[in-house]
Amino acid sequence: MTHTVLVTGVSRHIGARVASVLAAAPDISRVIGVDTVPPPSLTRDGGISLGRTEFVRVDLRSPDIAQVIAAADIHTVVHMSLVSAPSKSAGRAVMKEHNVIGTMQLLGACQRSATVRRVVVRSTSAVYGSSPRDPAVFTEDLEPHDGPTHGYAKDAAEVEGYVRGFARRRPDVTVSMLRFANFMGPGVDSPLTRYFTQPVLPTVFGFDPRLQFVHEDDAVEVLRRMATEDHPGTFNVAGAGVLLLSQCARRAGRASLPLFSPAFKALGNAARRLGLVEYSPEQVRLLCHGRAVDTSALEATLGWKPKYTTGTAFDDFLRSRGLHPFGGGRT
């Protein structure tokens, strides 16, 4: 039985890749991609080919998304539109409106729809926060000691609350929530990938956090599976293993500059004001305390494991940027 899929956030890299993969699936009749701006493949910039994806310009904060869902008899919604950092032209308030109010409008439209039967939401492992009191590994049922209080992580935590409410109100809809570790790969442009491309990596003196990544190819495959199969629940998504920040620096061939915490935060504030690198408070905490998640629930549910480990995902990103380790070795 074929059906129609709606993908939000198709102007960004991962969203465009997900729409492209779903558009090539034989059991999907239509893919409708929505965003506030056209995806790169529809502009002069080139980019990922979206295949037979139909693009509709919609701001999720407006009620127009309900008209799109109703008119196209949408069966599956893949919500990829969470923004992880404010743009230079907009600000934090606009980012929060897009993430939280946009999701509320989308879920409201899904709740009123008679055809929606599956909703997949991209979330983030940042909802666990980063704290010195954290467990060694987070499972999906653990509550963070210090939950997020600002930024993207706080938006994601609020979004998850609205998604859980929607799942209670529409038990006939399969709801899958995916808490991704930081994306890594050739096409990923994020505050963390920009951090690793700096000539020198500022670090917090006395801390060497554990980091976890998920390769963009594995992220797209998980989203494809969730969009075409029924797997209700909340799942952590990450490559196997962890890397210490010091190991990442050596793999990247970058020197580290240890700073005491106040100096690191002051540097981050200055860089953010200048629009150089995004040192959000949540990223500062991550670079102090790190974070690791357990992915056994996802692997057991799908009968599948990510192709890339945390280490090989990071290596692929480094190769794409022409970065090489000191001495040509690996740690």
Side-chain angles (χ1 to χ4, degrees):
M1 179 180 177
T2 61
H3 53 262
T4 303
V5 178
L6 181 136
V7 181
T8 71
V10 294
S11 71
R12 287 178 287 278
H13 180 70
I14 302 293
R17 287 199 58 185
V18 170
S20 176
V21 167
L22 292 176
D27 57 341
I28 293 177
S29 57
R30 295 176 70 191
V31 176
I32 297 175
V34 299
D35 215 322
T36 54
V37 296
S41 62
L42 299 182
T43 68
R44 295 178 180 177
D45 298 331
I48 297 167
S49 171
L50 297 188
R52 54 191 176 93
T53 301
E54 305 165 40
F55 174 71
V56 180
R57 190 192 297 264
V58 176
D59 188 331
L60 292 185
R61 294 171 295 177
S62 79
D64 295 344
I65 187 62
Q67 299 175 18
V68 175
I69 290 175
D73 291 336
I74 299 295
H75 175 278
T76 298
V77 173
V78 183
H79 185 30
M80 297 291 299
S81 196
L82 266 66
V83 178
S84 60
S87 67
K88 294 178 182 179
S89 58
R92 169 64 189 134
V94 174
M95 170 185 162
K96 183 176 179 65
E97 282 184 12
H98 178 89
N99 287 342
V100 179
I101 304 302
T103 300
M104 290 174 64
Q105 287 280 10
L106 177 66
L107 293 175
C110 291
Q111 184 173 330
R112 294 189 296 273
S113 169
T115 60
V116 170
R117 287 294 177 267
R118 188 180 297 132
V119 173
V120 181
V121 178
R122 168 208 163 182
S123 186
T124 169
S125 62
V127 296
Y128 296 118
S130 294
S131 162
R133 296 183 293 166
D134 286 345
V137 178
F138 277 105
T139 56
E140 291 85 351
D141 58 345
L142 288 179
E143 294 292 329
H145 284 291
D146 298 307
T149 58
H150 38 62
Y152 172 52
K154 186 174 188 295
D155 290 355
E158 291 186 34
V159 163
E160 287 199 2
Y162 290 120
V163 173
R164 285 190 290 270
F166 168 79
R168 288 192 295 270
R169 291 188 295 272
R170 285 293 303 269
D172 57 313
V173 176
T174 299
V175 178
S176 306
M177 195 145 55
L178 303 172
R179 292 173 176 166
F180 288 98
N182 289 97
F183 293 133
M184 198 60 65
V188 177
D189 178 30
S190 70
L192 197 59
T193 60
R194 291 192 287 273
Y195 168 82
F196 284 121
T197 57
Q198 297 176 106
V200 176
L201 304 184
T203 61
V204 184
F205 183 79
F207 293 91
D208 195 9
R210 296 171 305 141
L211 302 176
Q212 222 174 11
F213 308 126
V214 59
H215 193 279
E216 58 179 285
D217 290 357
D218 290 324
V220 171
E221 174 61 13
V222 169
L223 287 156
R224 183 195 69 78
R225 288 170 177 253
M226 291 293 179
T228 56
E229 305 166 6
D230 285 330
H231 299 296
T234 300
F235 302 95
N236 295 328
V237 189
V242 298
L243 284 174
L244 298 175
L245 180 57
S246 60
Q247 292 175 315
C248 291
R250 287 194 289 273
R251 286 177 180 239
R254 294 310 200 224
S256 298
L257 177 63
L259 300 170
F260 288 104
S261 183
F264 185 93
K265 291 178 180 176
L267 174 66
N269 290 334
R272 190 162 65 250
R273 284 195 298 271
L274 294 172
L276 300 176
V277 178
E278 176 65 24
Y279 285 86
S280 65
E282 61 194 287
Q283 183 164 330
V284 171
R285 291 180 69 84
L286 179 68
L287 294 178
C288 286
H289 308 296
R291 184 189 311 115
V293 298
D294 178 85
T295 60
S296 58
L298 177 81
E299 293 169 7
T301 297
L302 296 184
W304 170 89
K305 290 185 178 182
K307 175 183 174 183
Y308 290 83
T309 66
T310 286
T312 57
F314 190 63
D315 288 347
D316 194 41
F317 158 73
L318 295 179
R319 282 192 295 271
S320 72
R321 299 300 198 276
L323 299 176
H324 305 286
F326 289 128
R330 281 283 180 259
T331 303

